Amino acid sequence: MAAAAEVVHRQGVERTTIADIARAADVPTGNVYYYFKTKDDLVAAALAEHGGQLERITAELDRLPDPRERLKALVRGWVDQRELAARYGCPTGTLAAELGKRTPDGGLDAEAGKLLRTLLDWVEGQFRELELPDPDGLALALVGAYQGMSLLANALRDPDIMTREGNRLTAWLDAL
Amino acid sequence: MAAAAEVVHRQGVERTTIADIARAADVPTGNVYYYFKTKDDLVAAALAEHGGQLERITAELDRLPDPRERLKALVRGWVDQRELAARYGCPTGTLAAELGKRTPDGGLDAEAGKLLRTLLDWVEGQFRELELPDPDGLALALVGAYQGMSLLANALRDPDIMTREGNRLTAWLDAL
DNA sequence: GTCTATAAGCGGATAGAC
DNA sequence: GTCTATCCGCTTATAGAC
């Protein structure tokens, strides 16, 4: 599952073969099918892995006493990951974008949406605790800014974009 | 080229077959290869098509006398396309994200980056005309917000996100 | 549970008639 | 310049030995 999450993030779902993931996990290709009946099952596992990552991050942030500090630390974490974002984009965002282009699709696209929804809800909770007006609108702005800066940093292969936008978001959080 | 641009936007590069595009253009599959030697040539053509679209939009906006009005009209245009964005994302953004995951890649990913660079430069020019400080930082914020709201609207299949974020961006432009 | 060999099908690309 | 038929490689998935 860890190998699947990493390889799928780097190569995208469609360009990743079972053989790629098997090689990364150091198991024979055919062996994978003992644990995952189809490729989509593996993609779902990769999504779950990213979900766990997200959960660990917010759990860690929750230990901070002040909601504003939690949000600023979240932004700091994004900026810290700038090299990865500039190379491969936000794992959840790029995955959601790719899966969203599938027609019917076994619900994997909705699963990716749920991950982003989880992040949005957590951020909204922080704004709510700060008793700011329109907390869900603010959450949309913050998470949207993250997705946008990740995409631009990735498209232009420029990690500095993450730093610059991170500074702007931090100032914005302070001014709210 | 028009068929390629549309189908690739809807299905993504990897899930689009030559046969898909040929069907949309109402020509036999093999025929495509008379005009495009490889599938990547066709993708490049789709990118160029989106580039032309972008050029037409900014040329139209340039007819407005006030740079601030140009930017607000740009945002209005984004919101008007909310249904398309919620279903398939921003054409340039999703294409750039997908192509960015290719390793070496014949330079198609850089081509997608150039399109976004063009938009960024045009937006920066407007901020510069308004004599605002840090015009390229502001451009990054505006275009980033667009990419972010498109991705979220797409992932959550919710066009209202485009409307809400559009309102916020318009107010932000007015307050600058 | 682990691994090798292989089947089945799809999709990019080409040959060659018209 | 248009179209049909087809080749070939790759990838998903399975069969079956160990």
Side-chain angles (χ1 to χ4, degrees):
Chain A
M1 284 178 66
E6 193 189 320
V7 176
V8 162
H9 177 210
R10 284 208 312 258
Q11 307 190 346
V13 174
E14 302 300 335
R15 289 183 75 89
T16 297
T17 66
I18 307 281
D20 289 336
I21 296 172
R23 196 176 324 117
D26 205 37
V27 295
T29 306
N31 199 342
V32 172
Y33 286 91
Y34 183 77
Y35 297 94
F36 304 94
K37 273 180 270 298
T38 65
K39 179 179 176 181
D40 275 8
D41 282 354
L42 246 186
V43 174
L47 265 172
E49 191 78 3
H50 285 298
Q53 188 76 15
L54 175 60
E55 211 166 336
R56 277 190 294 280
I57 289 170
T58 53
E60 185 68 26
L61 293 173
D62 277 330
R63 296 172 52 191
L64 293 171
D66 177 34
R68 196 185 305 265
E69 287 307 317
R70 284 180 213 138
L71 291 171
K72 286 166 71 176
L74 176 66
V75 171
R76 246 189 330 271
W78 291 341
V79 175
D80 285 345
Q81 296 293 312
R82 63 186 173 280
E83 294 293 344
L84 200 65
R87 190 58 196 81
Y88 305 112
C90 162
T92 315
T94 55
L95 220 62
E98 197 180 358
L99 293 174
K101 295 216 184 276
R102 295 189 169 189
T103 47
D105 176 64
L108 277 180
D109 58 340
E111 212 55 43
K114 265 185 215 161
L115 287 191
L116 283 170
R117 176 44 66 204
T118 301
L119 176 59
L120 279 166
D121 286 344
W122 183 87
V123 171
E124 178 183 340
Q126 309 311 310
F127 285 126
R128 199 174 293 280
E129 226 175 291
L130 288 169
E131 298 184 350
L132 287 165
D134 190 23
D136 58 335
L138 292 173
L140 223 47
L142 185 63
V143 177
Y146 167 51
Q147 291 301 330
M149 75 201 217
S150 296
L151 191 145
L152 289 180
N154 183 219
L156 302 177
R157 290 282 144 78
D158 179 6
D160 288 352
I161 287 176
M162 301 291 292
T163 311
R164 297 176 64 193
E165 277 285 283
N167 288 338
R168 188 183 64 82
L169 289 174
T170 302
W172 176 70
L173 286 169
D174 273 326
L176 276 175
Chain B
M1 284 177 67
E6 194 189 318
V7 176
V8 163
H9 178 210
R10 286 207 311 255
Q11 307 190 346
V13 173
E14 303 300 336
R15 288 185 76 88
T16 296
T17 67
I18 307 280
D20 288 336
I21 296 171
R23 197 178 321 116
D26 204 36
V27 295
T29 305
N31 198 342
V32 172
Y33 285 91
Y34 183 76
Y35 297 95
F36 304 94
K37 274 181 269 299
T38 66
K39 180 180 175 180
D40 274 9
D41 282 354
L42 206 43
V43 175
L47 265 173
E49 191 78 3
H50 285 299
Q53 188 76 15
L54 175 60
E55 212 167 335
R56 276 190 293 281
I57 289 169
T58 53
E60 185 69 26
L61 292 173
D62 277 329
R63 296 172 54 190
L64 293 172
D66 178 33
R68 195 184 307 262
E69 286 307 317
R70 285 180 212 138
L71 291 172
K72 286 166 71 176
L74 177 66
V75 171
R76 247 191 326 272
W78 291 341
V79 175
D80 284 347
Q81 297 293 312
R82 63 186 174 281
E83 293 294 342
L84 200 64
R87 190 58 196 80
Y88 304 112
C90 162
T92 315
T94 55
L95 220 58
E98 197 180 359
L99 293 174
K101 297 219 185 270
R102 294 187 170 192
T103 48
D105 178 61
L108 276 180
D109 57 341
E111 212 56 43
K114 267 185 214 161
L115 286 189
L116 284 171
R117 178 39 72 202
T118 302
L119 177 59
L120 279 167
D121 286 344
W122 183 88
V123 170
E124 178 183 340
Q126 309 311 310
F127 284 126
R128 199 174 294 278
E129 229 177 290
L130 288 169
E131 298 183 348
L132 288 165
D134 191 23
D136 58 335
L138 293 173
L140 224 47
L142 186 61
V143 177
Y146 167 50
Q147 291 301 331
M149 75 200 216
S150 296
L151 191 145
L152 290 180
N154 183 217
L156 303 176
R157 290 285 144 80
D158 180 6
D160 287 352
I161 288 177
M162 300 291 290
T163 310
R164 297 177 64 191
E165 276 285 284
N167 288 340
R168 188 183 64 83
L169 290 174
T170 302
W172 176 71
L173 286 169
D174 272 327
L176 278 176

